[in-house]
Amino acid sequence: MMLFRHLYILVIGIALAQNGHTLPNRKLDCTFREEKQDDGTPVLGHTTVTRKALLLFGDIDTDEEAIRFKVKDSSLDIFHYVGTKPDDLECEISRYSTHGFHVPWPHQGAELTENKWFTVTIKNRHGKFTTTSFMRKLKASNLEVNEKSEAPTDDEDSPIGNTDTLLVQVNYIIHTSTPLIRTKLKQDLVLDCGYKIDHSTDVNIDWRYQYKGVKKKLFSYNGRNQQVEHIEKGVGAFLDQIKNGNASLRIRNVDINNEGSYTCLVYVPPLFGTHTINLEIMEPPKVSLNHDSLSLKEGDEQKLACDAEMYYPLDVTMKWQRQQGREHLLPVYLTNTVFSSHKPNKDGTFNVTSYFRFTASLRDDGATFICQVGHISLEKAIKRYVHVNVEARSQILLYILILILSLFFCAVLIILLIHLSKVMDKNKKKPY
C-alpha cells in the first residue's frame, strides 16, 4: 500500500509539472466587449457591443446565460495579482488581434491551440491595481466540446454566441499596483509595472510619457541584446530585475513637469501588453493668518488676511466664518471678502490671499473669525482662527470731549455777543 501511495503521488507530481498547477474553483463576473461594424459599411464606423461573460477556473461550471471562458490549468495564476474581494473588481474581456502575425508559442498541455487571443483586464474599483492577461483559445477534446456552444473556426473574428463556452489558457500577464499615483513634490517614486510569461523568452520594454500635447519616449530596452537603447534624464529602471519580470520605472525628486500619463509597454511577440499610469501632483497649501488674536477698542478698523501658499493644482477654496464666543451655534459665513489673484511660484505652485476689513464693535467682543481653506490634496479643510476682544472706549474721554465742545460754543457765543454790542453802540444816535 505504501509503495502504491508513493507511485500515485509521483504520477500526480509529473502531471502537475507538465500541465501547470491545478486552479481552485472560482468564478468571476465579467463583460465581453467587442467592436461591431455598422451595417457592413466602413463609412458608418464601429459600435461597441457588450455582453455578459464569466471567467471560470478549475472544475466549476454554471448554467447562467453568459459567454463562458473556461481557464484550463496553467502555470500563470491571474489571481496572484488580484488581492481583493470580487465585489471590488471590474472585469472586461476583449478580443485581441495579432493582425495575422503568427509567432509559435510554446504550449503547455496536450490540447491544440488556435490563433485566437483574448485579453481579460481586471481592475480594482478603488484604483489599487490593474492586471491584463492574454488568453489563447484551445481546441477542446471531443469529451469537452459541445458543437452548439463552441465557435467552429480559427478565424480571429469568428462569431461567439451568447452562451458559448471557450476553453482558454493564460499565457502572459502584465500588471501594475500603481494605476494612479498622487504625490507631493520632491518625492522619489516607482511606477510599478511587472510581467509574467509562461515560458522563457526575450522581451522589449518601452516607457512613454504624455501630458497636454507633449509626448516623448522615456526608456527603451531591447531584450534580445539585453541593452538599454534610450533613457531620458531623470528616470531609471531596475535593469538587474527585468529578466525577473520587473519593468518598473523610477523617478527621483518629482517636480511639476513630471505630472502626466506614463505608459508601460512590454512586447512579447506577437503580444503588446500595456498599462497606463497617471501621475498627479498634489501639494497641499500652507495656510497662515496675519493675526492670531486681536485686542481692539470700539470703533477701531482692522484688516484680516489669510494666505494660502505653495499649493498645486490651482483650484483652492477659501471661506471666512464668524463664530460668537463659545456658544454652540453654527458659524456664519462672511460675504464681504476680497481675493487676490493666484500668484505662481518658481516651482510651479501657487499663492493666493483672502482678506476683509471690519470696524470693531462691542458685538465682536469674544468672537472668533475663521479662515477655512479647501484643496483637492486635503481630506478635510484647513482652519485658522483669530480670537477678538473689544473694549468700550473710556467715558472720561467722552466727558472731556463734551466739555471742550461746550467751552468752544460758549467762547463763540461770548465773541458774538461782544461783536453785537459793539455794532449796536456804533449805530446809536449821538445827542448833538
Side-chain angles (χ1 to χ4, degrees):
M1 289 294 295
M2 186 64 68
L3 178 61
F4 176 80
R5 182 178 179 183
H6 284 302
L7 289 174
Y8 176 78
I9 293 175
L10 178 61
V11 170
I12 293 297
I14 293 173
L16 291 176
Q18 291 177 342
N19 299 300
H21 63 276
T22 301
L23 298 174
N25 294 342
R26 301 187 69 166
K27 180 183 75 170
L28 190 61
D29 292 327
C30 301
T31 298
F32 181 66
R33 184 183 298 270
E34 59 182 336
E35 299 290 330
K36 294 287 187 180
Q37 186 169 308
D38 294 336
D39 295 336
T41 58
V43 177
L44 298 177
H46 296 76
T47 59
T48 301
V49 178
T50 59
R51 290 182 284 170
K52 182 178 180 180
L54 296 173
L55 200 59
L56 305 175
F57 299 84
D59 295 327
I60 192 170
D61 206 348
T62 178
D63 293 330
E64 292 184 57
E65 185 172 342
I67 304 172
R68 294 178 285 272
F69 291 85
K70 195 166 185 179
V71 180
K72 300 292 289 182
D73 290 350
S74 171
S75 61
L76 303 185
D77 181 7
I78 292 177
F79 288 95
H80 181 75
Y81 308 100
V82 181
T84 189
K85 299 178 181 178
D87 293 342
D88 292 332
L89 298 178
E90 295 178 355
C91 174
E92 181 178 300
I93 301 176
S94 302
R95 296 177 186 264
Y96 182 86
S97 175
T98 61
H99 301 288
F101 182 44
H102 182 74
V103 175
W105 192 281
H107 178 64
Q108 299 174 359
E111 299 90 351
L112 297 176
T113 61
E114 298 182 11
N115 190 34
K116 183 180 293 186
W117 292 88
F118 298 89
T119 60
V120 52
T121 299
I122 302 175
K123 298 180 180 180
N124 176 266
R125 297 184 189 274
H126 309 293
K128 294 182 179 179
F129 60 79
T130 302
T131 177
T132 297
S133 302
F134 289 80
M135 306 183 301
R136 195 170 192 180
K137 186 176 180 297
L138 304 177
K139 290 182 179 178
S141 65
N142 293 332
L143 296 176
E144 294 174 311
V145 66
N146 182 339
E147 293 182 358
K148 295 182 180 180
S149 63
E150 183 74 13
T153 70
D154 193 30
D155 183 9
E156 286 185 351
D157 298 323
S158 59
I160 299 174
N162 291 335
T163 57
D164 280 356
T165 297
L166 291 87
L167 301 180
V168 293
Q169 189 174 61
V170 179
N171 300 113
Y172 167 35
I173 299 176
I174 181 170
H175 55 89
T176 178
S177 61
T178 57
L180 173 62
I181 299 179
R182 289 177 172 170
T183 181
K184 295 181 179 181
L185 294 171
K186 299 181 180 179
Q187 304 293 311
D188 292 343
L189 297 179
V190 173
L191 310 185
D192 178 61
C193 182
Y195 67 91
K196 188 73 174 177
I197 311 170
D198 64 359
H199 65 281
S200 179
T201 185
D202 296 325
V203 301
N204 291 341
I205 299 172
D206 279 338
W207 274 94
R208 298 170 186 175
Y209 169 84
Q210 180 176 349
Y211 187 63
K212 293 183 177 179
V214 177
K215 298 181 180 180
K216 59 182 177 180
K217 181 182 288 189
L218 300 177
F219 175 79
S220 181
Y221 173 81
N222 187 312
R224 175 175 295 181
N225 301 325
Q226 297 184 13
Q227 291 181 350
V228 174
E229 297 183 343
H230 175 83
I231 187 166
E232 190 80 4
K233 183 179 179 181
V235 301
F238 303 88
L239 298 179
D240 58 335
Q241 299 179 30
I242 287 180
K243 281 190 172 182
N244 299 325
N246 186 359
S248 303
L249 193 73
R250 179 175 54 221
I251 305 176
R252 297 191 183 277
N253 198 28
V254 170
D255 61 30
I256 296 296
N257 295 325
N258 294 127
E259 186 173 47
S261 295
Y262 294 77
T263 300
C264 172
L265 190 153
V266 181
Y267 177 48
V268 185
L271 310 178
F272 287 89
T274 65
H275 277 307
T276 298
I277 298 172
N278 292 309
L279 174 59
E280 298 178 359
I281 306 297
M282 294 290 174
E283 191 67 27
K286 297 176 175 59
V287 182
S288 61
L289 290 171
N290 59 338
H291 296 284
D292 294 328
S293 61
L294 288 171
S295 294
L296 304 173
K297 297 291 185 180
E298 185 181 8
D300 286 351
E301 289 191 357
Q302 184 62 50
K303 175 183 175 181
L304 291 180
C306 182
D307 294 317
E309 300 175 308
M310 310 296 290
Y311 59 86
Y312 187 90
L314 185 64
D315 294 335
V316 67
T317 60
M318 302 182 74
K319 298 178 181 179
W320 283 95
Q321 296 173 302
R322 182 186 182 278
Q323 188 169 25
Q324 186 61 43
R326 297 181 179 179
E327 299 176 6
H328 296 288
L329 299 176
L330 291 176
V332 177
Y333 284 97
L334 305 178
T335 57
N336 58 330
T337 57
V338 180
F339 294 87
S340 71
S341 59
H342 295 276
K343 301 175 182 178
N345 298 307
K346 290 182 178 180
D347 61 358
T349 59
F350 299 93
N351 301 339
V352 70
T353 301
S354 175
Y355 57 90
F356 75 97
R357 296 179 183 274
F358 72 101
T359 301
S361 67
L362 293 179
R363 188 177 65 88
D364 296 319
D365 185 38
T368 300
F369 291 95
I370 306 167
C371 174
Q372 178 177 300
V373 178
H375 191 256
I376 192 173
S377 63
L378 303 171
E379 293 184 3
K380 60 182 181 179
I382 297 174
K383 294 183 178 181
R384 296 290 182 263
Y385 303 86
V386 181
H387 304 285
V388 178
N389 294 314
V390 180
E391 295 182 4
R393 292 192 178 275
S394 174
Q395 296 297 322
I396 296 177
L397 296 177
L398 180 61
Y399 293 148
I400 293 175
L401 179 60
I402 293 173
L403 178 59
I404 292 173
L405 290 175
S406 298
L407 291 174
F408 173 77
F409 284 118
C410 288
V412 171
L413 182 59
I414 291 171
I415 293 172
L416 289 175
L417 289 174
I418 292 174
H419 179 72
L420 181 61
S421 176
K422 290 181 177 181
V423 170
M424 291 178 64
D425 289 343
K426 184 178 181 180
N427 294 332
K428 189 183 294 186
K429 294 183 178 181
K430 295 183 180 180
Y432 52 91

